[in-house]
């Protein structure tokens, strides 16, 4: 299952897992950090420690890169026929499917995700990604070209080498496995550094791939903080960095990688606009407006956090969205009825609070819903928050909050709606609601975004590439484009005369 709208099935109850301490995964084996340091992992729905993981640093990154380097330079993986690599990924998809409940429980307790959604969105898409790239590996091929001189000329797609993958806390599984599936299908080896707040599922995925037949050293995992990430970017044994995270860290990584001309793909932040035109199907548009900012507790890079509404509909839509937002079931992620869980970490919650405080001192701004924490089980809960009356150049409208916070602004003309939508530094996603087909195409072509949704929001599929424009980054994940990010093209020209 790949789409977010296929989530209406009955969900089997899932219990909180009992956890053992996590270790690094290097060269096909679990091991402690060289420093022996460990880091607590917190359940964001209770604020309590649930386990510890090894706190890797530059020494562990070095060991992991050496393992990945040896596996690339000497190992069989890059020379394994692409279709056999694809079979390993497809076997991994099946093993993940068999271990769905375990992965749902781990991802939910680690990131505070509602189990009902984790099953469909996080684990469902992880399976779909491995299946997709497992299949796509079969189609890896070069081309023959005609030249102006006598020759046999052809291109060969080749793996890049050792990939350093650095991933964020909001979709720990999906955002790591999209890199892993594509990079491995292409024949690369890897070192993955997951976010320090959400490291648990990365270790299980490495073990599953080993069980599926991935040779030792091809995928290594170093849990640890930004220091480990920085060491990975700087390591001379790493040939490319695949990064998903904030624009600030992405900028720093691009700068560091630039020193050694190391290629980087950057999937960065967003502040995406969703436009409701006067002729929209209002039931759909209001539903998507709510979903657009509460999905994953607003911790969605493509969250529709700026709602732009045709002025005649402004009051109706604002009241409807604010009224309904408070009714979305919020609470314990292990309750199958829960739709909104906690924010994934204490520092992320504090950031959301700081942003909403800005609205209280903004002349003309009004908080129509939310605007406060929710005191529940000691967890990091924040009420879905709807704000009107913010100036377009205010920080709350321009910057990424990364929580369930929506601003709503009116517009008078199509040109104004497009200008407002394009007015931030970001260019990740955008959406519009209209019944006018001409307008749908016209506005979609004018929106500065890597993905545009019409009469829906948030639909992603492994076959459809996504990625950013402007300060939302560069490079694409998903689709054949996502595979191409992990390949070099070699030209071979053989003189025939
Ligand atoms: P973040 O703070 O940028 O961290 C992302 C990853 O980078 C983490 O693993 C982090 O480690 C690591 N890191 C931190 N400093 C580093 C450094 N100097 N060098 C190398 N690595 C470093 O992002 P986040 O708060 O986890 O995630 C939220 C952000 O990700 C949002 O901006 C969101 O929009 C973006 N995002 C983008 C997409 C997309 O596809 N465009 C998807 C999801 C999320 P620690 O966790 O240990 O600090």
């Amino acid at each position: 299952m790949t789409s977010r709208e296929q989530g209406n099935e009955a969900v089997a109850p899932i219990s909180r897992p009992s956890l053992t301490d996590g270790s690094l995964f290097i060269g096909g084996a679990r091991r402690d950090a060289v420093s022996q340091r460990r880091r607590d992992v917190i359940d964001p729905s209770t604020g309590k420690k649930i386990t510890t993981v090894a706190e890797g640093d530059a020494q562990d990154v070095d060991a992991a890169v050496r393992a990945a380097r040896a596996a690339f330079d000497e190992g069989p993986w890059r020379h394994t026929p692409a279709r056999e690599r694809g079979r390993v990924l497809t076997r991994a998809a099946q093993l993940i499917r068999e271990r769905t409940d375990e992965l749902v429980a781990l991802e939910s307790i680690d990131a505070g995700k509602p189990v009902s959604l984790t099953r469909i969105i996080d684990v469902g898409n992880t399976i779909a990604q491995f299946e997709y790239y497992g299949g796509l590996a079969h189609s890896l091929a070069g081309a023959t070209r005609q030249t102006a001189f006598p020759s046999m000329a052809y291109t060969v797609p080749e793996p890049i080498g050792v990939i350093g993958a650095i991933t964020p806390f909001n979709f720990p599984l999906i955002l790591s496995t999209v890199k892993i599936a594509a990079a491995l299908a292409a024949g690369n080896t890897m070192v993955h550094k997951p976010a320090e707040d959400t490291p648990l599922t990365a270790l299980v995925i490495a073990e599953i791939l080993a069980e599926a037949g991935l040779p030792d050293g091809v995928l290594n995992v170093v849990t640890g903080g930004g220091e480990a990430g920085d060491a990975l970017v700087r390591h001379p044994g790493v040939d490319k960095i695949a990064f998903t995270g904030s624009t600030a860290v992405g900028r720093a990584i691009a700068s560091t990688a630039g020193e050694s001309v190391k290629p980087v793909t950057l999937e960065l932040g967003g502040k995406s606009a969703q436009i409701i035109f006067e002729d929209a199907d209002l039931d759909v548009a209001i539903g998507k407006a709510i979903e657009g900012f509460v999905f994953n507790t607003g911790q969605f890079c493509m969250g529709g956090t700026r709602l732009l509404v045709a002025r005649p509909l402004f009051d109706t839509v604002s009241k409807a969205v604010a009224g309904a937002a408070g009714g979305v079931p919020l609470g314990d992620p292990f309750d199958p009825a829960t739709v909104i869980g906690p924010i994934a970490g204490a520092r992320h919650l504090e950031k959301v609070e700081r942003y909403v405080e800005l609205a209280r001192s903004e002349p003309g701004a009004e908080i129509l819903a939310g605007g406060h924490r929710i005191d529940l089980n000691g967890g990091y809960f924040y009420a879905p928050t709807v704000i009107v009356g913010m100036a377009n150049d205010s920080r709350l409208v321009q910057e990424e909050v990364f929580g369930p916070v929506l601003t709503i602004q009116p517009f008078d003309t199509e040109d104004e709606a497009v200008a407002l939508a394009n007015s931030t530094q970001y260019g990740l996603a955008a959406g519009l609601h209209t019944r006018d087909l001409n307008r749908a195409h016209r506005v979609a072509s004018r929106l500065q975004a890597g993905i545009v949704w019409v009469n829906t929001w948030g639909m992603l599929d492994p076959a459809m590439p996504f990625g950013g424009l402007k300060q939302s980054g560069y490079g694409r994940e998903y689709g054949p484009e996502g595979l191409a990010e992990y390949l070099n093209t070699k030209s071979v020209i053989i003189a025939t005369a």
Side-chain angles (χ1 to χ4, degrees), residues 39 166-171 175 179 193-198 224-233 243-250 252-253 266-270 299-302 347-348 351 400 402 426 428 466-468 472 477:
R39 180 189 164 82
I166 303 175
T167 52
F169 70 88
N170 62 326
F171 287 98
L175 294 171
K179 294 170 180 55
K193 193 214 82 70
E196 60 188 349
D197 286 336
T198 54
E227 186 200 339
D230 184 56
L232 191 55
V233 176
F243 174 76
T244 301
S246 62
T247 294
V249 173
I253 285 176
L266 298 174
E267 300 286 349
L268 308 180
Q299 303 163 116
F300 182 31
C301 53
M302 301 189 187
R347 66 188 167 118
H348 307 302
K351 180 180 162 205
E400 186 181 45
F402 226 55
Y426 296 111
L428 196 54
F466 78 87
S472 292
E477 295 195 310

Side-chain angles (χ1 to χ4, degrees), residues 349-423:
L349 173 64
E350 284 156 17
K351 180 180 162 205
V352 173
E353 281 185 307
R354 282 198 300 276
Y355 268 109
V356 174
E357 280 313 305
L358 296 175
R360 300 192 205 283
S361 53
E362 169 103 356
E366 191 183 350
I367 300 177
L368 297 184
H372 53 82
R373 284 185 187 215
I374 292 183
D375 189 9
L376 184 68
N377 302 330
Y380 310 135
F381 293 93
Y382 199 85
T385 297
V386 178
I387 302 170
V388 293
M390 298 296 297
N392 190 54
D393 62 358
S394 66
R395 289 184 58 200
L396 198 52
V397 173
Q398 292 292 319
E399 296 177 15
E400 186 181 45
V401 176
F402 226 55
V405 178
L406 177 74
T407 58
I408 312 184
Q409 297 167 264
F411 66 84
D412 290 304
T413 64
E414 185 179 300
D415 282 350
E416 190 191 2
V418 171
L420 285 170
N422 290 340
S423 70

